């Protein structure tokens, strides 16, 4: 056709190369993600451990050593806070991504402690990689964390219940753009030292009674820099190679949980990072199209550590029973966890944000002795039903919960190894959860070991 009397410009015929670029390509390797769907402590470590057995790469994308995962292998109990629990798989590489904040003494201490427990961690430094863009948690971040908690307690009588591991202050430094990263530590140490002194002074100005030994910490960091150097890699390039190279099973281990997410959690009683699925992309440098299956880990009841609203909490003998039978103490802080009935409004909200492919339901055996089991299915405030999970914590503290009461099974499920062997009432409990959430349950946990995770499909 002619335009304005001139012959239309004829485009040269595309060569095959350009044509093939324009055909959308399906990503070769997608990452499988395991995320907590409640307030943490759902038993993510066990699910990760199960999937890590045949993984090639296991990644952490956010949080720090405020996370706590317990994994039992060959009757040895390992505790992980910073290391991905996939580090127990001798054939896999473990990766700490840019979204993680790293306390170096904590990292090396954790490795030492686990080395003393059993053989699982032998050779860990050969199979760990750390992103050069990850921020560092310094000792003064931890000291500041403690001071801030004291101040909150004095001012409002309400602390946040942080783990005092310096996570919040380290993420604050990151957002204030005066934080220091792994790449700073392993390049020119004199430049690093200068920046470190400036950052330490900044905190001393804000908290004059802060106890900081700058020279001692610098000396310590200089030694860590040498141990760290062989582990450090360009995380973006590393992940890109893993995603686009030959076939690999890649697993991402979420820390904390949906209701502790800085954006979607029960703010301000939350952690300082995104522990929902978006944190996988930003914390590792993974494009969204490379996110594959997303597994939500849901405990068969609800627990919460520290302060904050908890609608289905049972401050009674039911709560005590769940607490003692479930041995509900934090791995990181050893604090007693508050316990209550399963809250499906909360889990459904976590599913809205994360889009779970399937669910791992853990600690079902803890309910074995109950004759009836309640499940929270709706919220209302002042007799008005709430259409969604409220953002405002003052509202959440005031909600009344509508429960569905289901029959218990009153027998042990600990030795059950397939779904059909579960008591009919336990099967109904699982089906009820699936129907409410419209998400299938893929695993059911009935004990502490790897073998006690029953696979449904």
């Amino acid at each position: 056709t002619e335009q304005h009397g001139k012959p239309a410009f004829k485009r040269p015929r595309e060569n095959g190369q350009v044509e093939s670029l324009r055909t959308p390509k399906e990503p070769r390797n997608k990452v499988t993600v395991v995320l907590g769907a409640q307030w943490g402590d759902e038993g993510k470590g066990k699910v990760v451990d199960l999937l890590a057995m045949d993984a090639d790469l296991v990644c952490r994308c956010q949080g720090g050593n405020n996370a706590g995962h317990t994994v039992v292998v060959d009757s040895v109990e390992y505790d992980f806070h910073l290391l991905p629990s996939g580090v127990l798989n001798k054939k896999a590489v473990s990766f700490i991504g840019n979204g993680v904040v790293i306390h170096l003494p904590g990292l090396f201490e954790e490795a030492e402690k686990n080395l003393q427990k059993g053989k699982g961690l032998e050779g860990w430094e050969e199979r760990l990689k750390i992103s050069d863009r990850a921020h560092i948690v310094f000792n003064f971040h931890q000291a500041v964390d403690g001071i801030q908690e004291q101040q909150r307690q004095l001012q409002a009588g309400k602390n946040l219940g942080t783990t005092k591991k310096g996570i919040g202050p380290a993420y604050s430094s990151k957002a204030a753009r005066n934080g220091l990263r792994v790449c700073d530590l392993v390049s020119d140490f004199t430049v690093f030292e200068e920046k470190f002194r400036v950052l330490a002074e900044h905190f001393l100005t804000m908290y004059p009674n802060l106890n900081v030994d700058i020279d001692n910490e610098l000396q310590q960091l200089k030694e860590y820099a040498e141990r760290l150097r062989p582990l450090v890699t360009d995380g973006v390039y590393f992940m890109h190679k893993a995603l686009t190279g030959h076939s690999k099973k890649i697993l991402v281990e979420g820390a904390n949980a949906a209701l502790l997410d800085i954006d979607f959690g029960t703010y301000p009683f939350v952690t300082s990072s995104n522990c929902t699925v978006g944190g996988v992309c930003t914390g590792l440098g993974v494009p969204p199209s490379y996110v594959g299956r997303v597994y939500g880990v849901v405990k068969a009841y609800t627990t919460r550590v520290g302060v904050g609203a908890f609608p289905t909490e049972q401050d009674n003998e039911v709560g005590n029973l769940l607490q003692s039978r479930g041995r509900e103490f934090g791995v990181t802080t050893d604090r007693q966890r508050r316990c209550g009935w399963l809250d499906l409004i909360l889990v459904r909200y976590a599913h809205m944000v994360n889009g779970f492919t399937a669910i791992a339901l853990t600690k079902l055996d803890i309910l074995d002795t109950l004759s009836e089991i309640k499940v929270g299915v709706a919220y209302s405030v002042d007799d008005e039903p709430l259409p969604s999970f409220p953002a405002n914590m003052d509202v959440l503290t005031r909600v009344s919960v509508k429960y569905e009461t289901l029959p218990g099974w009153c027998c042990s499920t600990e030795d059950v190894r397939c779904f059909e062997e579960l008591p009919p009432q336990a099967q109904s409990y699982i089906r009820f959860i699936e129907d409410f959430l419209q998400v299938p349950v893929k695993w059911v946990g009935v004990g502490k070991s790897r073998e006690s995770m029953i696979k449904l499909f």
Side-chain angles (χ1 to χ4, degrees):
T1 57
E2 291 196 358
Q3 284 181 321
H4 312 298
K6 291 178 187 166
F9 172 68
K10 266 212 169 67
R11 288 169 64 180
R13 187 162 288 147
E14 252 91 32
N15 60 27
Q17 205 178 353
V18 178
E19 278 300 320
S20 76
L21 278 179
R22 290 179 182 173
T23 319
K25 277 199 271 302
E26 198 41 37
R28 174 166 291 183
N29 298 326
K30 290 192 172 189
V31 302
T32 296
V33 186
V34 176
L35 299 171
Q38 292 151 305
W39 274 297
D41 312 309
E42 303 90 353
K44 294 179 289 293
K46 196 181 291 131
V47 182
V48 168
D49 183 50
L50 200 73
L51 294 168
M53 287 197 293
D54 62 348
D56 301 295
L57 176 58
V58 185
C59 315
R60 270 282 303 270
C61 63
Q62 43 68 233
N65 58 348
N66 57 336
H69 293 171
T70 308
V71 181
V72 180
V73 183
D74 300 328
S75 38
V76 180
E77 197 169 284
Y78 297 96
D79 286 335
F80 296 112
H81 302 279
L82 256 172
L83 288 168
S85 38
V87 77
L88 291 169
N89 174 354
K90 302 268 200 296
K91 294 190 196 77
V93 174
S94 289
F95 178 59
I96 296 179
N98 58 277
V100 178
V101 288
I102 305 172
H103 182 243
L104 294 167
L107 176 72
F108 290 108
E109 264 165 46
E110 177 181 329
E112 292 306 319
K113 270 187 190 163
N114 283 306
L115 273 169
Q116 284 161 18
K117 290 181 175 184
K119 292 188 169 173
L121 226 70
E122 280 175 4
W124 69 278
E125 287 181 78
E126 271 75 72
R127 47 181 197 273
L128 178 69
K129 290 285 168 215
I130 297 175
S131 169
D132 53 359
R133 290 175 172 84
H135 277 254
I136 304 173
V137 181
F138 297 115
N139 293 341
F140 55 72
H141 283 130
Q142 297 197 335
V144 164
D145 209 353
I147 292 172
Q148 287 178 346
E149 276 290 78
Q150 277 174 338
Q151 287 178 346
R152 288 184 198 110
Q153 189 63 50
L154 292 169
Q155 285 157 8
K158 253 207 186 129
N159 53 22
L160 293 181
T162 85
T163 57
K164 302 192 179 66
K165 299 285 181 191
I167 309 298
Y171 278 117
S172 300
S173 293
K174 178 176 177 173
R177 285 147 308 177
N178 58 8
L180 286 164
R181 304 190 292 177
V182 168
C183 59
D184 299 311
L185 178 62
V186 296
S187 24
D188 187 337
F189 196 81
T190 42
V191 179
F192 174 84
E193 181 173 339
E194 216 171 287
K195 291 177 179 171
F196 178 85
R197 288 184 187 279
V198 170
L199 183 59
E201 285 305 328
H202 164 78
F203 277 107
L204 275 165
T205 313
M206 290 200 302
Y207 303 96
N209 53 350
L210 192 62
N211 188 5
V212 193
D213 186 341
I214 296 180
D215 294 324
N216 185 33
E217 189 166 0
L218 275 165
Q219 186 50 47
Q220 207 186 15
L221 285 161
K222 197 169 191 169
E223 289 162 26
Y224 285 135
E226 293 316 307
R227 284 190 75 177
L228 208 60
R229 196 167 275 112
L231 315 181
V232 177
T233 187
D234 181 320
V236 174
Y237 183 66
F238 175 81
M239 282 309 294
H240 178 73
K241 273 202 308 193
L243 293 166
T244 56
H246 58 90
S247 174
K248 259 194 175 69
K249 284 194 170 173
I250 305 171
L251 182 63
V252 181
E253 172 179 356
N256 319 112
L259 275 294
L260 294 172
D261 184 279
I262 183 84
D263 285 288
F264 301 109
T266 45
Y267 193 88
F269 304 103
V270 292
T271 191
S272 322
S273 59
N274 286 114
C275 11
T276 43
V277 74
V280 174
C281 298
T282 55
L284 289 169
V286 169
S289 57
Y290 285 88
V291 175
R293 297 185 200 120
V294 180
Y295 295 127
V297 187
V298 178
K299 199 184 292 196
Y301 50 101
T302 312
T303 61
R304 178 161 205 179
V305 172
V307 272
F310 183 172
T312 62
E313 181 168 17
Q314 297 301 299
D315 202 357
N316 51 29
E317 51 279 13
V318 171
N320 296 341
L321 177 119
L322 294 171
Q323 209 282 323
S324 61
R325 272 185 63 81
R327 291 207 284 279
E328 294 295 350
F329 290 95
V331 183
T332 301
T333 56
D334 212 26
R335 287 179 292 184
Q336 193 166 325
R337 297 177 189 143
R338 298 152 62 195
C339 300
W341 297 118
L342 177 62
D343 183 338
L344 286 179
I345 305 98
L346 186 144
V347 180
R348 182 175 59 193
Y349 169 72
H351 172 52
M352 287 176 190
V353 176
N354 288 312
F356 297 132
T357 314
I359 275 169
L361 185 70
T362 59
K363 297 185 98 162
L364 185 74
D365 56 305
I366 305 305
L367 307 178
D368 284 351
T369 58
L370 293 161
S371 57
E372 58 173 41
I373 298 162
K374 293 186 177 182
V375 181
V377 292
Y379 287 170
S380 59
V381 169
D382 306 328
D383 297 327
E384 284 292 308
L386 276 183
S388 58
F389 190 82
N392 187 316
M393 280 313 95
D394 301 331
V395 175
L396 191 66
T397 35
R398 285 176 39 234
V399 301
S400 340
V401 182
K402 179 186 173 218
Y403 289 102
E404 192 78 39
T405 304
L406 300 165
W409 42 93
C410 298
C411 64
S412 173
T413 56
E414 280 178 44
D415 299 322
V416 174
R417 290 300 173 261
C418 70
F419 182 74
E420 292 67 32
E421 285 175 16
L422 282 169
Q425 299 88 332
Q427 293 186 22
S428 304
Y429 186 70
I430 295 162
R431 295 285 173 245
F432 183 86
I433 293 167
E434 290 183 315
D435 290 341
F436 185 93
L437 298 172
Q438 289 297 293
V439 182
V441 171
K442 190 176 174 77
W443 295 277
V444 177
V446 290
K448 287 192 86 167
S449 67
R450 267 179 187 170
E451 296 70 46
S452 64
M453 289 297 282
I454 303 168
K455 195 174 180 183
L456 274 61
F457 65 92

